[in-house]
Amino acid sequence: MIKILSILLFISISLNSNASQSMRRCMLLPVKDSIGGALGFKVFEEVERYLKTSDWCYYKSNSEIINILGNYKRNLNEYLHNPDVLKVVAEKTKAGSIIRVEIVSEGKGVDVKMTVLGDNGSDVYYKDNLKLTSNDPVVIGQTVKNWLDQFEKNIPYDGRILGILGNQFTVDFGKSYGVFINDSIDVIRPIKKKRHPLFKEIVDWETEKLASGRVFYVSPTQAQGKIDKYETRKRVEVDDWVILKKDDNTQKADLLKIPYGQEGGKNDYSFGKLGTVGIFGVLSSSKVSSSTGSATNSLSGLLMGVNLEAEVWATRNYWGSLELGANFGSQKKSSGNLSIDSNSTTNSKFKLKLGYRYLPLGFFYGPQLDAYAGYAKYTYGHDDLSADKIGEVTFSGLILGGRGSIPLMKKFRAHLSLEFMLTSSYNEDTLLYGEDESSSNYSIEIGGSHNYSPNMDIDGGIEFNSNKAKFSGGRSMSLKDTAFKGGVRFNF
């Protein structure tokens, strides 16, 4: 009499494109059998131990999924053979592949079968089975591990691209995978799956070569490369496949700390002096207030303008930037006893910054924290209303600031920045109040960006800027702007 032990072991192996982990993620789901789980638990331990020590798999348990599947004890076998259920499991665990192991008891032995499925729950990537004369969980577990090793060798790529910036990219393999600086790579894209006509298994992939290049930076779990040559008009995208082409000379050069192909101290694959150039349209709500102690006059209105921003990276962590902006329009009287009802104005700004960029996760496409210092100058070019204590004034000085940027989705980022003047200086074009007692400035910006293409981002945000000067006798002048800006930023 054949005794069926419905031991269903699922191991999810995926590429995690989140910033927290980029290695293939493995997850061991519950093992069910008909003898109280004794055999299944031991097999579970064997495979889990293997996954935790595997070089090509990052193991992470998921108690939520275990609890969900734990509610299907009676129909677990049926549910885990249902493609729709498997698809839901893959979506919840972000699994790229699902491996199903079934064990059927036959007398003194067992029949072991393993099927590797795609994340849609139906594509078959790998399938094998074997009859064992032993029901020892160690032997069963070793059989499963041998098949997993074979499956790893059949994976049609070495890694996937996590992020792209111009002709540079980050890929999800590193030193632990045996990658060396100056290793050659090919970037390919899967076009079509090729299935066996009888067994419906996926036996091959139809692919298209997009580009070739070299690795110039390696960390334990990630690497960065630079594309040398494009094979088609298509550009590289996130999740494209990367094939590593090993070369004995590049390995020896890396071990000797001598960049392969370097001549005269120049390394063509160093990070280089790259950066961004952005152009933005600006709609600004601007207000100027002048107080004489007993009365306050103010003008406000909408201004339109343009911002130009350029940033250059000297290394992966050190950068410099230049920002120019100008707004034009007119303001109307909003309070006080002004001699006119409206006045035209031309406001401008100039910023020069030098900063350090901290990469918490070690690669350029994850979270970024910037600290910077520099010089800024704000000019408010109001037409002369000296009788109303309003005219052209300038605030300038050394600035100190910080900026944080974090990826929210695959191609979307959010940022927040705060800066203020350490040594604010106030100047008047015509005599209004005279020398100030103190002046101050601060600026806050919040926004986001969308990576529209490898070389272009759509960027936007809200910037709040405030300048204020105080004078003797309780007199003061303040100028505030709330600017909505949007535009494009190009990588070079």
Side-chain angles (χ1 to χ4, degrees):
M1 180 178 181
I2 298 177
K3 184 178 181 181
I4 300 178
L5 301 176
S6 298
I7 303 175
L8 294 157
L9 176 64
F10 269 74
I11 307 160
S12 297
I13 303 175
S14 70
L15 285 172
N16 180 11
S17 61
N18 297 333
S20 61
Q21 290 293 341
S22 63
M23 297 177 65
R24 294 166 177 151
R25 180 163 54 182
C26 307
M27 186 174 61
L28 192 61
L29 297 186
V31 176
K32 180 179 178 293
D33 63 36
S34 60
I35 55 174
L39 179 60
F41 180 76
K42 292 178 181 178
V43 174
F44 181 96
E45 285 187 321
E46 286 292 322
V47 180
E48 184 183 53
R49 190 179 302 113
Y50 163 81
L51 294 175
K52 286 182 176 180
T53 58
S54 174
D55 291 334
W56 58 274
C57 179
Y58 172 74
Y59 176 80
K60 183 178 181 181
S61 61
N62 191 319
S63 58
E64 180 182 357
I65 300 299
I66 291 176
N67 292 334
I68 292 174
L69 294 179
N71 297 326
Y72 303 107
K73 292 181 180 179
R74 292 185 179 180
N75 298 319
L76 182 60
N77 185 64
E78 177 183 348
Y79 280 110
L80 296 183
H81 279 78
N82 187 322
D84 294 331
V85 174
L86 299 181
K87 183 178 180 180
V88 171
V89 172
E91 290 175 349
K92 288 183 175 293
T93 60
K94 298 180 180 179
S97 302
I98 301 176
I99 302 170
R100 179 172 61 212
V101 178
E102 300 176 77
I103 306 174
V104 179
S105 178
E106 294 183 348
K108 294 183 179 180
V110 292
D111 187 9
V112 184
K113 181 171 66 174
M114 185 180 81
T115 307
V116 181
L117 302 168
D119 55 5
N120 61 3
S122 57
D123 287 341
V124 179
Y125 291 166
Y126 183 94
K127 184 166 64 176
D128 209 338
N129 69 287
L130 182 66
K131 290 186 178 182
L132 301 176
T133 57
S134 171
N135 59 2
D136 186 345
V138 175
V139 176
I140 298 173
Q142 186 59 51
T143 302
V144 174
K145 290 184 282 185
N146 292 341
W147 284 335
L148 290 175
D149 287 339
Q150 185 63 38
F151 169 66
E152 181 209 358
K153 297 175 183 177
N154 291 338
I155 295 176
Y157 55 83
D158 293 301
R160 289 190 182 183
I161 288 180
L162 296 177
I164 304 157
L165 192 60
N167 289 331
Q168 297 187 11
F169 58 87
T170 292
V171 67
D172 64 349
F173 54 55
K175 291 181 180 177
S176 60
Y177 193 78
V179 181
F180 292 84
I181 292 177
N182 288 312
D183 275 345
S184 299
I185 59 94
D186 285 337
V187 181
I188 63 175
R189 181 172 298 165
I191 303 299
K192 185 179 180 181
K193 302 170 184 176
K194 297 181 180 180
R195 290 181 171 85
H196 192 283
L198 296 178
F199 304 109
K200 305 302 180 183
E201 296 178 32
I202 295 176
V203 295
D204 199 3
W205 296 80
E206 183 177 334
T207 61
E208 179 183 18
K209 183 178 177 181
L210 302 179
S212 59
R214 287 184 183 272
V215 173
F216 66 82
Y217 174 82
V218 181
S219 72
T221 57
Q222 289 102 28
Q224 290 187 340
K226 179 180 179 182
I227 294 173
D228 295 331
K229 179 182 178 182
Y230 283 97
E231 301 292 336
T232 69
R233 291 181 177 270
K234 298 180 181 178
R235 288 299 178 255
V236 174
E237 297 178 355
V238 172
D239 285 335
D240 280 338
W241 294 356
V242 177
I243 306 297
L244 183 65
K245 300 190 295 184
K246 301 301 294 181
D247 185 316
D248 290 340
N249 289 329
T250 62
Q251 295 186 32
K252 293 175 182 177
D254 186 79
L255 291 173
L256 293 172
K257 304 300 181 181
I258 301 172
Y260 181 67
Q262 178 175 318
E263 295 181 6
K266 180 180 178 180
N267 183 358
D268 292 335
Y269 301 100
S270 63
F271 188 74
K273 294 183 178 180
L274 302 177
T276 64
V277 174
I279 180 169
F280 302 90
V282 179
L283 179 64
S284 175
S285 174
S286 181
K287 182 177 181 180
V288 53
S289 298
S290 174
S291 175
T292 60
S294 59
T296 300
N297 296 324
S298 63
L299 292 165
S300 62
L302 291 177
L303 309 179
M304 299 184 67
V306 62
N307 271 18
L308 296 175
E309 300 176 11
E311 185 176 292
V312 176
W313 305 311
T315 68
R316 283 167 46 83
N317 302 104
Y318 293 94
W319 55 270
S321 71
L322 174 66
E323 181 179 349
L324 301 173
N327 297 329
F328 311 90
S330 63
Q331 298 174 316
K332 295 183 179 180
K333 179 174 69 175
S334 58
S335 67
N337 188 21
L338 292 167
S339 58
I340 60 174
D341 292 330
S342 65
N343 190 33
S344 61
T345 182
T346 301
N347 299 342
S348 63
K349 66 179 176 180
F350 168 87
K351 291 184 181 182
L352 184 64
K353 306 175 187 176
L354 296 175
Y356 174 81
R357 177 161 295 146
Y358 172 59
L359 307 174
L361 298 180
F363 60 95
F364 206 76
Y365 310 98
Q368 299 177 2
L369 297 174
D370 293 302
Y372 60 86
Y375 172 81
K377 180 178 180 180
Y378 296 87
T379 301
Y380 294 88
H382 298 94
D383 286 350
D384 185 16
L385 292 175
S386 55
D388 299 314
K389 301 300 182 183
I390 294 177
E392 182 173 328
V393 297
T394 300
F395 292 81
S396 61
L398 299 178
I399 58 173
L400 185 67
R403 174 186 169 101
S405 173
I406 187 171
L408 299 178
M409 299 172 62
K410 181 183 292 185
K411 293 188 177 183
F412 292 88
R413 299 182 68 91
H415 66 263
L416 172 66
S417 64
L418 172 64
E419 70 178 40
F420 60 92
M421 278 191 182
L422 291 173
T423 58
S424 179
S425 176
Y426 168 82
N427 290 287
E428 300 173 344
D429 185 58
T430 58
L431 182 62
L432 300 174
Y433 290 104
E435 186 176 353
D436 64 304
E437 290 186 342
S438 65
S439 62
S440 61
N441 162 273
Y442 68 89
S443 178
I444 300 173
E445 180 178 341
I446 183 170
S449 63
H450 167 58
N451 183 224
Y452 181 77
S453 72
N455 293 312
M456 185 179 77
D457 289 348
I458 299 175
D459 208 331
I462 302 174
E463 181 180 1
F464 179 77
N465 189 73
S466 174
N467 285 280
K468 188 173 184 178
K470 294 182 179 180
F471 309 90
S472 61
R475 300 172 300 167
S476 65
M477 172 177 281
S478 67
L479 302 103
K480 296 182 179 180
D481 300 281
T482 301
F484 301 84
K485 67 177 187 178
V488 294
R489 193 182 300 273
F490 299 95
N491 303 315
F492 66 88

